[in-house]
Amino acid sequence: MDLKFNKNEDHNKLLLSDLKRRLAQVKLGGGKARIQKQHDQGKMTARERIDYLLDDNTDSLEIGAFVGDGMYEEHGGCPSGGVVIKIGYVSGKQCIVVANDATVKAGAWFPITGKKNLRAQEIAMENRLPIIYLVDSAGVYLPLQDEIFPDKEHFGRIFRNNAVMSSMGITQIAAVMGSCVAGGAYLPIMSDEALIVDKTGSIFLAGSYLVKAAIGESIDNETLGGATTHCEVSGVTDYKAKDDADALNTIKNIMDKIGDFDKAGYNRKEAAKPKDNPDDIFGILPNSRTDQYDMGEIIKRLVDNSEFEEYKEGYGKTILTGYARIDGWAVGIVANQRKVVKTKKGEMQFGGVIYSDSADKATRFIANCNQKKIPLVFLQDVTGFMVGSKSEHGGIIKDGAKMVNAVSNSVVPKFTIVIGNSYGAGNYAMCGKAYDPRLIAAWPSAELAVMGGNSAAKVLLQIEKASLKKKGETITEKKEAELFNKIKSRYDNQVSPYYAASRLWTDAVINPLDTRKWISMGIEAANHAPIEKDFNLGVIQV
């Protein structure tokens, strides 16, 4: 291996170590003291409940581990958005599990908590996956109620989705394992089946203190809405469990009886590992976001047998398109090529930039995959579309619009991995979050922004200088350098993959070596939901 490979490897493995450190911190939720308090109450934590529920020795995917990272610090923070979400297997059936983390503000709902719960329901609805709710929540976080209560994508949308999923025939099971109050009380009861844990679980629209204040009635919470009340008096819940483990075992038994589903029929053969060593990814991927590399070498370390059947290999070279298998599943790959390439006319094209010919090729390939019912995988390392008079006169806007149209109207499931840059309209054309990928994950090397840090800082610096000059201030070279570094530092923080993940612009920041697992489990989930409409590009300019 050459020196450059070794430097890249060192850099990327440091990024991976940072990812593992951050994940370890996130998994502590509200902290060790609050975890101990949960145990003292005879309760498992959210993560312990999920681990107990999921089948042993099976893969799982955590959605939104970094949600809330760096947010709400004036309120004490909200690790993982106060809720843990995983896609995994219960009694052999793939499903999605949503567990309130009572170590974070008693499981209260922050605005980002609502967004994360809605994302879980979106995944369930798109893929017709059974969804299991492990409820332990104090309800809406009142200091921020105006940001979580009344709007279309706020708290109430959860219950609307409960009703819609029920009509779609999607299994919903809820276990009340702690508090379940006010509006949140509707979630378990709008599920198909509801369990409640004796002495620790409770459900009521208003607790004993509010009941006393509202109507003058004196009653304790257990009598008002405990397990015995709801299993033997109100009939609100269907099963009474003696403890957390008993409730989770009951869920396993229910899941064990669920019938099979209609499959979409995506092509799968026996899986094979890549022939080229996946660990080489760390040495191939450059330590600078501006350096060039061959995306084809990354692809060979992600696909079965390192076999990639390239489509239109000699045309539109700044996007790679072709067929492969990932863990046995047939996929169509659309990837940004990150090395400088030469066209047949002898012209040089910059890596990571989308040109008219590459956009045209990608559009045609996406249409082919829809025709053949092949899931699409987008590998993003894109700086945007080519600019300048030659590109404009050549119709780059028209060709870019065709590609965006194809991505938008694609009916086969799409999966997006942000490997490096994800800038501007390139994010859109390469199936960013706004274009409904079934799952979207980023590597630690990713950057998501309107433009790169240096370019953005230069633009913002010019604006800042103009503002200061209007005020009569003199800008020295030293002052200009200080301003630039300050602006760039702030901007660099915003392009971080963790900044994106905290806001759920991506579902996760992942180890590059887990990419195959994410795509494979994602297609398996998508296979639960047959395609219900035809691919139609609509009106495009040719």
Side-chain angles (χ1 to χ4, degrees):
M1 299 294 177
D2 60 22
L3 182 60
K4 185 175 181 181
F5 184 98
N6 290 336
K7 286 183 176 179
N8 290 342
E9 186 176 46
D10 289 345
H11 173 78
N12 287 307
K13 287 195 171 178
L14 281 173
L15 291 180
L16 180 58
S17 294
D18 182 50
L19 168 62
K20 291 177 178 178
R21 178 189 61 77
R22 288 171 180 260
L23 281 171
Q25 182 61 40
V26 156
K27 288 178 180 179
L28 292 175
K32 292 180 180 179
R34 289 178 182 169
I35 290 173
Q36 185 58 51
K37 182 180 179 182
Q38 190 100 336
H39 290 163
D40 291 343
Q41 294 171 343
K43 297 161 66 174
M44 299 179 186
T45 65
R47 291 182 181 279
E48 289 167 346
R49 287 166 176 165
I50 293 177
D51 289 345
Y52 185 95
L53 183 62
L54 296 182
D55 295 347
D56 294 336
N57 303 314
T58 57
D59 286 332
S60 64
L61 307 175
E62 181 167 355
I63 304 297
F66 292 112
V67 162
D69 182 48
M71 300 171 68
Y72 311 116
E73 291 181 353
E74 68 277 22
H75 297 276
C78 188
S80 283
V83 62
V84 182
I85 298 172
K86 286 191 178 184
I87 299 172
Y89 304 88
V90 177
S91 299
K93 293 180 176 63
Q94 194 180 38
C95 58
I96 187 162
V97 184
V98 180
N100 300 114
D101 186 351
T103 70
V104 179
K105 293 286 193 246
W109 287 53
F110 284 67
I112 200 68
T113 315
K115 185 174 182 178
K116 185 172 176 180
N117 275 270
L118 288 169
R119 175 61 177 148
Q121 291 185 321
E122 180 182 42
I123 291 169
M125 287 189 284
E126 284 181 332
N127 300 291
R128 295 183 179 267
L129 278 184
I131 184 166
I132 298 168
Y133 307 99
L134 306 180
V135 184
D136 193 348
S137 172
V140 166
Y141 183 63
L142 289 177
L144 297 174
Q145 64 85 26
D146 62 321
E147 298 178 40
I148 181 62
F149 169 62
D151 209 346
K152 181 179 178 180
E153 300 301 328
H154 283 177
F155 190 71
R157 189 75 170 183
I158 301 293
F159 315 129
R160 175 265 186 193
N161 287 349
N162 287 143
V164 170
M165 282 190 283
S166 183
S167 72
M168 293 171 68
I170 297 170
T171 297
Q172 299 177 82
I173 301 169
V176 179
M177 310 179 84
S179 296
C180 185
V181 300
Y186 288 102
L187 185 146
I189 313 314
M190 294 189 75
S191 300
D192 302 337
E193 295 184 84
L195 306 82
I196 186 168
V197 178
D198 196 20
K199 299 297 186 287
T200 57
S202 58
I203 308 171
F204 32 66
L205 295 180
S208 57
Y209 292 123
L210 185 53
V211 167
K212 177 69 173 176
I215 64 173
E217 181 183 3
S218 296
I219 190 170
D220 63 273
N221 282 338
E222 184 64 24
T223 306
L224 181 66
T228 299
T229 294
H230 286 309
C231 287
E232 300 177 20
V233 180
S234 72
V236 164
T237 50
D238 308 307
Y239 306 90
K240 180 163 72 171
K242 63 182 181 181
D243 55 26
D244 282 8
D246 188 33
L248 298 170
N249 287 334
T250 301
I251 294 173
K252 292 181 183 184
N253 291 333
I254 295 169
M255 288 293 295
D256 183 56
K257 311 301 186 298
I258 294 175
D260 205 355
F261 53 89
D262 295 331
K263 295 180 175 63
Y266 301 119
N267 186 299
R268 192 180 199 185
K269 291 186 174 179
E270 186 177 350
K273 293 181 179 179
K275 286 184 178 177
D276 293 342
N277 187 358
D279 281 333
D280 291 345
I281 287 171
F282 297 107
I284 295 167
L285 197 65
N287 58 30
S288 169
R289 289 288 80 242
T290 59
D291 287 354
Q292 305 285 302
Y293 66 97
D294 186 355
M295 180 65 84
E297 293 300 315
I298 299 288
I299 292 173
K300 287 196 292 185
R301 287 154 178 85
L302 294 176
V303 301
D304 292 13
N305 289 318
S306 299
E307 293 174 352
F308 180 57
E309 186 69 32
E310 194 165 348
Y311 171 83
K312 288 186 179 289
E313 182 178 357
Y315 179 73
K317 293 182 178 181
T318 64
I319 286 184
L320 300 177
T321 53
Y323 303 104
R325 289 189 182 274
I326 293 179
D327 198 34
W329 294 103
V331 296
I333 295 176
V334 181
N336 302 112
Q337 176 57 287
R338 275 309 310 264
K339 66 178 183 179
V340 174
V341 298
K342 184 182 288 188
T343 68
K344 194 172 182 180
K345 297 178 182 178
E347 298 170 333
M348 304 304 292
Q349 293 185 341
F350 298 105
V353 179
I354 302 175
Y355 290 77
S356 284
D357 54 358
S358 49
D360 179 69
K361 176 174 80 170
T363 302
R364 176 74 180 185
F365 180 71
I366 290 166
N368 277 339
C369 287
N370 276 270
Q371 180 84 351
K372 299 178 176 70
K373 205 159 73 170
I374 300 173
L376 284 159
V377 174
F378 293 83
L379 303 178
Q380 287 195 7
D381 194 346
V382 58
T383 52
F385 286 88
M386 191 57 189
V387 297
S389 61
K390 185 175 181 180
S391 291
E392 298 292 359
H393 297 170
I396 185 65
I397 296 175
K398 177 182 66 177
D399 292 316
K402 285 193 296 185
M403 183 176 174
V404 169
N405 199 317
V407 172
S408 302
N409 287 300
S410 180
V411 296
V412 296
K414 300 167 292 194
F415 302 90
T416 301
I417 306 297
V418 186
I419 289 176
N421 302 327
S422 181
Y423 296 158
N427 170 280
Y428 303 158
M430 291 295 294
C431 197
K433 182 68 182 292
Y435 291 81
D436 298 324
R438 296 293 177 95
L439 295 172
I440 177 170
W443 289 3
S445 49
E447 291 187 358
L448 290 84
V450 173
M451 63 180 73
N454 275 324
S455 300
K458 287 175 183 176
V459 171
L460 294 169
L461 176 64
Q462 295 307 312
I463 295 169
E464 183 71 16
K465 284 170 63 178
S467 175
L468 291 172
K469 283 182 180 178
K470 280 184 179 179
K471 295 176 182 177
E473 295 186 29
T474 303
I475 311 297
T476 64
E477 285 188 13
K478 182 180 178 182
K479 176 72 172 176
E480 183 172 329
E482 288 175 354
L483 277 172
F484 177 83
N485 290 332
K486 181 180 178 181
I487 293 168
K488 187 174 184 303
S489 175
R490 184 176 69 244
Y491 197 87
D492 284 346
N493 177 60
Q494 293 179 357
V495 305
S496 158
Y498 299 101
Y499 190 91
S502 72
R503 288 151 180 81
L504 213 56
W505 301 342
T506 63
D507 291 317
V509 182
I510 65 171
N511 182 339
L513 302 183
D514 286 336
T515 302
R516 282 170 54 86
K517 179 179 75 172
W518 271 77
I519 294 169
S520 176
M521 286 187 66
I523 298 175
E524 182 184 352
N527 205 34
H528 286 75
I531 296 171
E532 296 178 343
K533 62 179 182 178
D534 295 329
F535 176 64
N536 185 342
L537 272 178
V539 178
I540 61 170
Q541 293 192 39
V542 294

